[in-house]
Amino acid sequence: MTGAEILLESLLAEGVDTVFGYPGGSIITVYDKMYSYADRLRHILVRHEQGAIHAAQGYARATGRPGVVIVTSGPGATNVITGVADAMVDSTPVIVIAGQVGNALLGTDAFQETDVVGMTGPIDKWTFQIRRPEDVATAVAKAFHIASTGRPGPVVLDFTRDAQVGIADFDYQPCRHIRSYALPAPADEAAIEAAAQLIDDAERPFVVFGQGVLLSHAEDQLKAFLKKGGIPAASTMLGLSALPSDFPYYVGMAGMHGNIAANLMTQKCDVLIAVGMRFDDRVTGNPSTYARQAKVIHIDVDRTEIGKIIPAEVGILGDAAEVLGRLTERIRFSFHDEWAASARRYECVEQEKVCVPETAPAGGPVNMGEVVARVSELSGRDAIIVTDVGQNQLMGARYSRFARTRSFISSGGLGTMGFGLPAAIGAKTGAPDRQVVLFVGDGGIQMTLQEFGTIMQEGTAVKVVLLNNNWLGNVRQWQELFYGARYSQTRLLNPDFSLIAQAFGIRYRCVEERAELEDALREMLDSPQAYLLDVHVREEGMVYPMVPGGRRMDEILLNKDEWYRDGE
Amino acid sequence: MENSSMYIISVYSENQVGLLSSISNIFTRRGINIESLTVFPSEFPGIHHFTFRAITTERAAQQVVGFIEKKVEVVRAFCFPDNATSAAEHGILADYLKNRNQ
């Protein structure tokens, strides 16, 4: 069997049924063999390799299974680099198979040759160059093992032409053991005991959880832990949907544009339990002022995260599900009713000062948050919400309500504009029975606009809500607040999106008035096909509340002129 | 600010193309200059031993060690001040490999 066939057989052996890719000269042998695998392996032909990797990320985030990307050498490989870096920081299991020139041409500046191993090493979990056909199956097996275990991440296989065309026997053995790569061990008993003691002694315990809860499938363990300890909890942006929005102990999202309750309680708790999150600066503000009053328990599967930003009183290295399960057994039944109820007071302020004006304005142009809130209601909180990056993302995170897990997909750590459209394609491909709604701005949609072609060809029924304000809105917001309203290069002259939709054969409707919004949203959600809803939103729309960068998390702007004051 | 001083970062790894550059990138990304570097086969079969000397803080050195250990092919990494020596690391590594090789 050729190395190319061994690759495809190995993917099937790993249970892969869908790959995202783009052919080219150095991967043509694989595509040739793929021709005979069309009944077993669905290939989604994207329009740009960046689209392939973001789609694979969306697929992985929606399904929990690794996304697979097949691209050619040189520009094919460099075009996936952004997505590799994005998947690394957001812990997304993705396997990239990039063609490479023949062994004899390596290092000669051959046509479409580039140093993939050197370029991807610093931004992925593992890179391996396959030079011999007999190494293909073991490389693929290791790739799946590494990408999907521990803290998940992207893996790049640099697949030379010699390895593709050479002949070897096929014998697939899944990888379960790598000498130098240890899987998460059961957490240290003494650390669990110390953490349980701190939690039992706490008067104002507080949980901030991240995507680690989703990655370790620890949703039920988290709920049981919060219920038994009577502990209020906030989510990071990537942790959203791990708890249902109406879960009794849930107080909202923490961070720069998070909920007031989440941020204030972080600054008031006496024990902070961080679960599967990494204290990004969008969550901590100025880290030297973050939760200084609290003893911190940090649970993470990645040793380098513990103590990296915020010193931990107790660090627990381990899988979130396992650690939370054991902690729940250990802690006492507790009630912190007054403390937990303090969230309601902050929520009232936020409702009055921020949410109601945003989602139910008396008049004027349509607001971004209003659109998100209506989508959430009309979709019965059941959709997978995908966002691009910027105001659309922050509004999508703030005003979506979730009933099911794995329902929020966004580029968190890297903040990659252009992520949204292809990620939504991947999410819908992986979860065809779920409604997938993308919130995207007029800037970000033009970064990967070509993927409408993929939607057209594959018939992927994603619902695209374009929050169109003719600005690069998030940068414009910073310019207005912190750069003296000097709007340097943030004004966009946009194309006629109706013609773009028409060109790609995608249903389109434009909303300019509030009165049309609900009807248009219903039409979009009911559509069995892809839909582009172009909502002309308030041009100067702003995302509040906001903790300006580098501030303490209780220094919160409610609007342009008003800071939150505690106790009012 | 913590004081900077010379640290030795000692890395045991599988032999893998590209690993040295990947490890040195971990220093580069943090603006840490590598003062000296040696690479040689360790006394453990198939395991290479790198030693880096760099001027940095203890906290940064510990972080660098953590990120180096995250590299799949790295078996273990250690750091200690240049004025100390660690015989213990050999014992730790011998135990580790004994367990992992089973």
Side-chain angles (χ1 to χ4, degrees):
Chain A
M1 200 180 276
T2 62
E5 288 165 294
I6 293 174
L7 170 75
L8 298 169
E9 289 290 341
S10 302
L11 292 177
L12 292 176
E14 285 289 341
V16 174
D17 56 14
T18 305
V19 299
F20 301 88
Y22 205 97
S26 294
I27 196 76
I28 193 165
T29 311
V30 170
Y31 275 84
D32 176 62
K33 299 300 178 193
M34 200 190 289
Y35 197 67
S36 317
Y37 283 78
D39 55 333
R40 284 161 287 169
L41 198 59
R42 181 178 179 198
H43 179 273
I44 309 274
L45 178 63
V46 296
R47 293 298 180 272
H48 184 287
E49 289 89 349
Q50 187 187 358
I53 187 147
H54 292 327
Q57 292 178 272
Y59 179 92
R61 297 266 284 271
T63 64
R65 298 196 303 272
V68 179
V69 175
I70 302 181
V71 295
T72 194
S73 63
T78 56
N79 280 345
V80 302
I81 292 274
T82 301
V84 171
D86 191 291
M88 185 68 172
V89 71
D90 280 356
S91 315
T92 310
V94 172
I95 290 152
V96 176
I97 296 135
Q100 181 58 283
V101 299
N103 293 351
L105 293 174
L106 288 168
T108 66
D109 297 330
F111 179 64
Q112 292 192 333
E113 186 226 348
T114 189
D115 178 11
V116 171
V117 172
M119 280 189 297
T120 57
I123 53 162
D124 72 2
K125 193 170 171 189
W126 189 57
T127 303
F128 184 75
Q129 186 173 66
I130 312 175
R131 294 182 177 210
R132 308 184 312 165
E134 52 268 43
D135 295 338
V136 175
T138 48
V140 173
K142 278 178 81 172
F144 274 84
H145 180 67
I146 292 165
S148 55
T149 54
R151 178 176 175 179
V155 164
V156 176
L157 296 177
D158 191 30
F159 194 14
T160 69
R161 189 172 154 70
D162 296 58
Q164 293 175 42
V165 301
I167 306 285
D169 291 333
F170 176 66
D171 173 28
Y172 196 77
Q173 302 290 339
C175 173
R176 298 215 169 76
H177 172 86
I178 297 170
R179 178 167 71 164
S180 57
Y181 173 77
L183 294 177
D188 176 44
E189 182 60 28
I192 298 262
E193 188 55 48
Q197 194 62 50
L198 277 182
I199 295 166
D200 280 346
D201 292 346
E203 290 177 10
R204 299 180 308 282
F206 190 57
V207 165
V208 179
F209 64 89
Q211 196 194 192
V213 172
L214 296 161
L215 292 170
S216 106
H217 303 282
E219 294 93 338
D220 290 342
Q221 286 85 348
L222 177 61
K223 287 176 197 165
F225 173 71
L226 298 177
K227 280 182 189 165
K228 186 170 182 189
I231 306 171
S235 176
T236 67
M237 181 180 280
L238 292 197
L240 286 177
S241 81
L243 286 183
S245 306
D246 56 3
F247 189 75
Y249 298 90
Y250 182 60
V251 305
M253 179 175 79
M256 179 179 272
H257 294 281
N259 294 109
I260 294 174
N263 288 332
L264 282 187
M265 290 172 88
T266 302
Q267 297 299 94
K268 289 173 186 288
C269 61
D270 59 354
V271 172
L272 180 71
I273 306 141
V275 186
M277 56 83 82
R278 57 183 183 83
F279 294 113
D280 186 273
D281 53 270
R282 287 296 188 266
V283 165
T284 63
N286 178 351
S288 68
T289 62
Y290 180 82
R292 286 301 292 269
Q293 79 293 343
K295 292 184 168 134
V296 174
I297 299 167
H298 193 174
I299 302 165
D300 206 284
V301 77
D302 179 350
R303 179 168 81 86
T304 61
E305 291 300 348
I306 296 172
K308 185 181 78 174
I309 306 289
I310 301 296
E313 182 91 4
V314 179
I316 307 181
L317 180 64
D319 178 74
E322 188 244 351
V323 173
L324 287 172
R326 282 170 61 192
L327 269 179
T328 306
E329 284 172 21
R330 214 48 87 69
I331 60 172
R332 280 200 310 265
F333 276 101
S334 299
F335 299 95
H336 305 281
D337 289 353
E338 199 176 324
W339 161 241
S342 67
R344 300 286 102 77
R345 195 169 79 235
Y346 309 130
E347 280 163 16
C348 286
V349 176
E350 186 169 340
Q351 279 296 323
E352 182 200 326
K353 296 281 187 181
V354 180
C355 305
V356 170
E358 179 65 31
T359 61
V366 176
N367 287 334
M368 291 177 275
E370 179 179 8
V371 180
V372 174
R374 288 301 93 71
V375 166
S376 201
E377 281 165 29
L378 296 172
S379 61
R381 303 183 173 192
D382 196 46
I384 295 179
I385 303 297
V386 184
T387 79
D388 204 69
V389 167
Q391 290 181 319
N392 60 85
Q393 170 184 42
L394 303 165
M395 290 296 189
R398 283 186 51 76
Y399 296 107
S400 295
R401 294 290 171 267
F402 303 102
R404 289 171 70 175
T405 188
R406 292 192 177 276
S407 296
F408 185 77
I409 298 173
S410 189
S411 166
L414 202 67
T416 306
M417 280 176 71
F419 172 88
L421 187 60
I425 294 171
K428 184 67 184 175
T429 305
D433 299 331
R434 294 193 67 185
Q435 181 82 265
V436 174
V437 179
L438 167 68
F439 294 111
V440 58
D442 42 310
I445 200 170
Q446 293 184 70
M447 284 199 175
T448 45
L449 189 73
Q450 74 285 347
E451 298 308 328
F452 276 125
T454 308
I455 291 175
M456 175 173 67
Q457 186 158 353
E458 295 292 333
T460 320
V462 297
K463 310 300 169 61
V464 180
V465 180
L466 175 59
L467 299 172
N468 186 349
N469 58 9
N470 293 296
W471 286 98
L472 298 174
N474 209 31
V475 179
R476 196 208 68 86
Q477 173 163 346
W478 284 50
Q479 288 172 335
E480 179 176 335
L481 291 175
F482 313 122
Y483 290 87
R486 287 152 56 88
Y487 299 120
S488 180
Q489 299 300 318
T490 41
R491 188 75 174 149
L492 288 177
L493 176 62
N494 284 326
D496 183 336
F497 287 105
S498 74
L499 294 177
I500 288 183
Q502 192 188 339
F504 286 104
I506 288 166
R507 292 183 67 185
Y508 171 91
R509 183 165 165 184
C510 176
V511 170
E512 290 182 319
E513 302 290 333
R514 177 165 293 105
E516 309 160 49
L517 180 63
E518 182 160 333
D519 182 61
L521 286 174
R522 282 185 197 282
E523 184 179 305
M524 176 193 81
L525 291 168
D526 290 344
S527 166
Q529 287 116 36
Y531 200 107
L532 173 59
L533 187 67
D534 180 2
V535 188
H536 292 194
V537 295
R538 182 188 294 274
E539 291 214 344
E540 68 283 11
M542 305 277 270
V543 188
Y544 291 111
M546 178 176 195
V547 179
R551 294 280 194 143
R552 229 172 40 216
M553 293 313 290
D554 55 4
E555 297 181 304
I556 302 170
L557 271 174
L558 297 172
N559 54 56
K560 197 175 173 183
D561 310 306
E562 187 181 5
W563 293 87
Y564 175 81
R565 284 173 206 282
D566 206 8
E568 283 181 15
Chain B
M1 281 299 285
E2 268 184 275
N3 288 330
S4 291
S5 59
M6 188 71 82
Y7 282 84
I8 293 175
I9 289 161
S10 170
V11 181
Y12 294 86
S13 82
E14 305 285 359
N15 185 11
Q16 167 76 25
V17 175
L19 187 63
L20 175 59
S21 112
S22 218
I23 293 174
S24 62
N25 269 326
I26 292 170
F27 290 84
T28 312
R29 187 175 166 196
R30 290 164 181 77
I32 302 171
N33 205 14
I34 296 168
E35 303 292 333
S36 75
L37 162 65
T38 57
V39 191
F40 48 92
S42 76
E43 58 269 49
F44 304 98
I47 302 288
H48 281 237
H49 186 180
F50 303 73
T51 58
F52 298 83
R53 288 169 76 248
I55 296 171
T56 183
T57 63
E58 186 184 352
R59 184 175 153 77
Q62 294 287 1
Q63 271 200 10
V64 164
V65 164
F67 277 83
I68 290 173
E69 282 201 330
K70 269 167 77 163
K71 292 285 165 194
V72 167
E73 284 85 5
V74 171
V75 180
R76 288 300 293 268
F78 306 87
C79 79
F80 41 89
D82 196 8
N83 58 13
T85 53
S86 171
E89 68 182 51
H90 295 267
I92 293 170
L93 194 77
D95 286 352
Y96 179 88
L97 285 169
K98 207 171 92 193
N99 293 332
R100 297 293 296 171
N101 277 330
Q102 281 162 8

